[in-house]
Amino acid sequence: MWRWNQTSLEDFILQGLFDDSFNHFCLFLLILLVFLTAVSGNSLTILLICADPRLHTPMYFLLSQLSLMDLMHVSTTIPKMASNYLSGKKSISFVGCATQHFLYLSLGGAECLLLALMSYDRYVAICHPLRYTVLMSRRVGVMMAVMSWLSASVNSLIHTSILMSFPFCGSRIIHHFYCEFPAVLKLVCGDVTVYETTVYICSVILLLLPIILVSTSYGFILHSVIQMRSAGSKRNAFATCSSHLLVVSLLFGACMFSYMRPRSQRTPLQDKVGSVFYSIITPTLNPLIYTLRNKDVAKALKKVLRRDILI
């Protein structure tokens, strides 16, 4: 283990996304608008699922957990970025950086695992509808959520503890708008090739295993849908699964772009663009996709709106 450096607890400098130009100020306002949309959309999804008894099923419970993860994800990075930009300060404390790294890594990992488990829920609902209440009981849904949160948190705690125990040297400028793993690792003194390779392998496994589970589940789902005789049943099955597949494609595509490329092919600009997509854009799109394309959630929203109008 690396010898502890007495300067390791000094603040880091976050380079951020924007400079002082007018164009960048407009981009900042756009990001802030997207952030508020993400917070509003995910909060609304959680409230609708909690308020409407018809949505008290394992599928919507898992969806509420996904919205909670998205809500926490955007709240982990954007407020600090906005605060630094508006105040003109770019520093983040050592503890703050470690906390931010732990949260974003655990939330991202938990979301990957949860989306994979949600594909199993869709598989049971379509391929074994008569056994759904047995195979996907409320207890099973809670266990899936707990497993996603716990596994990702343990993985994140291990990597955050190891990363932040290394000595940092140089300017301590993080070329990013939050404490993302690759950007922080570049500040470590000494050779970390072995550790970086280990993390790369772990990232590949963490992404590939859920992708394999999703692909297998949807392979069985597609086979069952093809055998359906009713055109209405086919449309309902495709409508139910298309939202989930779209969310999976957005998140896993962005994560693969950010974490499965060789270090030699990465640039700070590409890392920032990839991070903006999966840490801001995806959490914003998720509730819109599920709300607009899901009849049950849309009905619950209309019910709440009608109630407010009558009051």
Side-chain angles (χ1 to χ4, degrees):
M1 182 61 64
W2 296 99
R3 184 171 56 85
W4 191 268
N5 191 315
Q6 63 179 1
T7 63
S8 291
L9 294 178
E10 292 180 2
D11 289 355
F12 294 98
I13 304 297
L14 291 172
Q15 189 181 57
L17 281 174
F18 312 110
D19 55 30
D20 296 329
S21 67
F22 177 75
N23 289 339
H24 277 215
F25 176 70
C26 293
L27 286 174
F28 167 74
L29 293 179
L30 178 62
I31 291 292
L32 204 59
L33 178 62
V34 172
F35 167 72
L36 294 175
T37 303
V39 171
S40 303
N42 285 290
S43 299
L44 180 61
T45 302
I46 295 171
L47 291 174
L48 287 175
I49 293 173
C50 292
D52 196 324
R54 293 174 300 177
L55 302 182
H56 293 175
T57 63
M59 171 186 169
Y60 292 109
F61 170 73
L62 295 177
L63 177 57
S64 70
Q65 295 300 300
L66 179 66
S67 293
L68 179 59
M69 292 173 185
D70 284 336
L71 181 61
M72 293 178 65
H73 204 155
V74 294
S75 300
T76 298
T77 56
I78 304 306
K80 179 60 179 176
M81 181 271 289
S83 173
N84 282 2
Y85 178 76
L86 293 174
S87 66
K89 298 178 181 178
K90 295 187 176 182
S91 63
I92 183 171
S93 67
F94 179 87
V95 174
C97 187
T99 303
Q100 193 179 64
H101 182 273
F102 168 76
L103 288 174
Y104 103 82
L105 196 61
S106 59
L107 290 167
E111 192 163 345
C112 288
L113 294 173
L114 186 66
L115 284 172
L117 294 174
M118 288 174 72
S119 70
Y120 171 77
D121 170 78
R122 293 299 82 210
Y123 158 73
V124 175
I126 294 174
C127 298
H128 303 284
L130 298 179
R131 301 178 60 195
Y132 181 80
T133 55
V134 177
L135 297 176
M136 276 301 301
S137 62
R138 179 174 297 183
R139 179 183 178 186
V140 173
V142 172
M143 287 177 62
M144 284 182 171
V146 170
M147 184 167 58
S148 300
W149 284 102
L150 189 60
S151 301
S153 296
V154 170
N155 175 71
S156 178
L157 181 61
I158 292 171
H159 286 301
T160 301
S161 300
I162 295 174
L163 176 64
M164 304 310 288
S165 67
F166 289 137
F168 298 97
C169 55
S171 61
R172 301 175 73 89
I173 297 176
I174 300 174
H175 295 282
H176 216 290
F177 64 96
Y178 66 93
C179 292
E180 191 185 35
F181 176 82
V184 177
L185 190 64
K186 291 179 181 178
L187 304 181
V188 174
C189 302
D191 184 14
V192 291
T193 305
V194 175
Y195 176 63
E196 189 175 21
T197 303
T198 303
V199 172
Y200 179 79
I201 293 172
C202 291
S203 300
V204 170
I205 293 174
L206 188 62
L207 287 172
L208 285 184
L209 285 180
I211 289 174
I212 291 172
L213 180 56
V214 170
S215 301
T216 303
S217 297
Y218 278 98
F220 285 115
I221 289 173
L222 182 61
H223 181 263
S224 296
V225 170
I226 292 174
Q227 291 182 331
M228 291 179 179
R229 297 180 180 179
S230 170
S233 298
K234 288 184 179 181
R235 282 196 300 270
N236 290 335
F238 278 121
T240 303
C241 297
S242 59
S243 299
H244 181 254
L245 270 178
L246 184 56
V247 170
V248 168
S249 300
L250 289 172
L251 178 66
F252 282 91
C255 288
M256 290 172 69
F257 175 80
S258 297
Y259 294 107
M260 293 183 68
R261 288 178 300 141
R263 185 175 184 178
S264 59
Q265 298 180 10
R266 292 177 180 172
T267 65
L269 179 59
Q270 290 176 342
D271 288 342
K272 288 180 182 180
V273 171
S275 297
V276 165
F277 196 86
Y278 75 76
S279 65
I280 304 175
I281 305 300
T282 302
T284 305
L285 293 177
N286 286 354
L288 297 177
I289 291 170
Y290 277 110
T291 301
L292 296 178
R293 297 175 63 89
N294 188 292
K295 293 181 180 179
D296 293 332
V297 177
K299 286 180 181 178
L301 178 58
K302 291 178 182 178
K303 182 180 177 181
V304 171
L305 292 176
R306 281 199 300 267
R307 185 189 305 165
D308 290 341
I309 292 173
L310 292 175
I311 293 175

